[in-house]
């Protein structure tokens, strides 16, 4: 799959992001389903079926998940972006899309456990042929953004983690896009 604006090479393992860690707090994250596509620092693209693709994209300021099926594009953006000022909601529900988020407080020891677990889960996801991307920001080993997705017959679901070691916080999101029922043969 060729992802729009995805000039960064696709990710096949953990990536060291080549930008300084800039987010200052989880409360600065905004949410959008209408933001423009952003140039990713790293991405993992995956073909779901003949018509559907998913792109997990790490941005300098967090993530985008883009799902396209030929008829529709869903572009979930959770980031600190100019012009995107809708605060991160606790939940969003639409006809076929759902999003939930929470902010967890973590001391450095717990945060280190979270980062280690994300690295293991990301490796296991990729080994199973599932889309996953994890990026480590330079200068702070506990500053990571990770996105893991699963493909089911009835839905595409993904989870994200954004760590903020300077604030001892982790933002965790879970999203799902329900897939239409296949048309029964006549």
């Amino acid at each position: 799959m060729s992802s729009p604006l995805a000039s960064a090479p696709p990710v096949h393992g953990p990536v060291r992001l080549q930008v300084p860690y800039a987010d200052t707090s989880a409360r600065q994250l905004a949410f959008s389903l209408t933001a423009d596509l952003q140039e990713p620092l790293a991405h993992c693209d995956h073909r779901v079926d003949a018509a559907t693709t998913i792109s997990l994209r790490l941005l300098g300021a967090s993530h985008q998940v883009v799902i396209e099926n030929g008829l529709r594009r869903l572009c979930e953006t959770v980031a600190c972006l100019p012009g995107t000022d809708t605060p991160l909601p606790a939940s969003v529900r639409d006809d076929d899309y759902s999003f939930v988020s929470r902010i967890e407080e973590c001391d450095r020891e717990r945060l280190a456990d979270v980062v280690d677990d994300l690295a293991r889960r990301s490796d296991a996801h990729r080994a199973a042929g599932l889309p996953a991307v994890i990026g480590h920001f330079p200068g702070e080993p506990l500053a990571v953004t990770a996105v893991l997705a699963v493909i089911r017959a009835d839905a595409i679901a993904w989870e994200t983690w954004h760590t903020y070691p300077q604030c001892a916080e982790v933002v965790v999101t879970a999203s799902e896009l329900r897939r239409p029922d296949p048309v029964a043969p006549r």
Side-chain angles (χ1 to χ4, degrees):
M1 165 182 141
S2 175
S3 188
L5 294 178
S7 62
V11 172
H12 301 292
V15 65
R16 292 264 174 230
L17 300 173
Q18 300 302 310
V19 297
Y21 183 65
D23 291 346
T24 58
S25 119
R27 291 177 186 24
Q28 291 183 332
L29 288 174
F31 172 84
S32 176
L33 292 175
T34 60
D36 292 335
L37 291 178
Q38 301 295 309
E39 183 71 35
L41 299 173
H43 63 96
C44 175
D45 298 337
H46 185 81
R47 182 161 294 285
V48 175
D49 57 36
T52 308
T53 58
I54 183 171
S55 180
L56 311 179
R57 305 157 64 88
L58 301 184
L59 310 177
S62 298
H63 85 265
Q64 278 188 320
V65 172
V66 182
I67 300 174
E68 297 185 77
N69 67 7
L71 301 173
R72 174 183 179 196
R73 173 190 284 170
L74 175 94
C75 181
E76 174 190 282
T77 305
V78 173
C80 301
L81 294 173
T84 306
D85 56 2
T86 301
L88 190 64
S91 68
V92 173
R93 300 238 184 267
D94 196 352
D95 292 336
D96 58 355
Y97 170 80
S98 64
F99 169 90
V100 296
S101 72
R102 68 183 186 278
I103 299 173
E104 299 176 0
E105 293 187 15
C106 295
D107 61 25
R108 283 194 74 82
E109 184 177 326
R110 171 72 181 119
L111 198 54
D113 290 344
V114 168
V115 170
D116 288 345
D117 182 57
L118 288 173
R120 281 191 298 277
R121 291 177 65 186
S122 181
D123 288 345
H125 244 62
R126 283 189 300 277
L130 296 169
V133 62
I134 182 169
H136 299 266
F137 289 89
E140 174 50 79
L142 299 181
V144 302
T145 299
V147 187
L148 306 177
V150 294
I151 314 300
R152 302 188 314 259
D154 65 335
I156 301 169
W158 59 96
E159 293 179 283
T160 75
W161 295 263
H162 306 270
T163 64
Y164 296 89
Q166 75 282 12
C167 299
E169 295 174 326
V170 178
V171 175
V172 181
T173 73
S175 304
E176 181 178 89
L177 180 63
R178 286 169 293 295
R179 300 173 71 190
D181 292 331
V183 177
R186 293 181 184 241

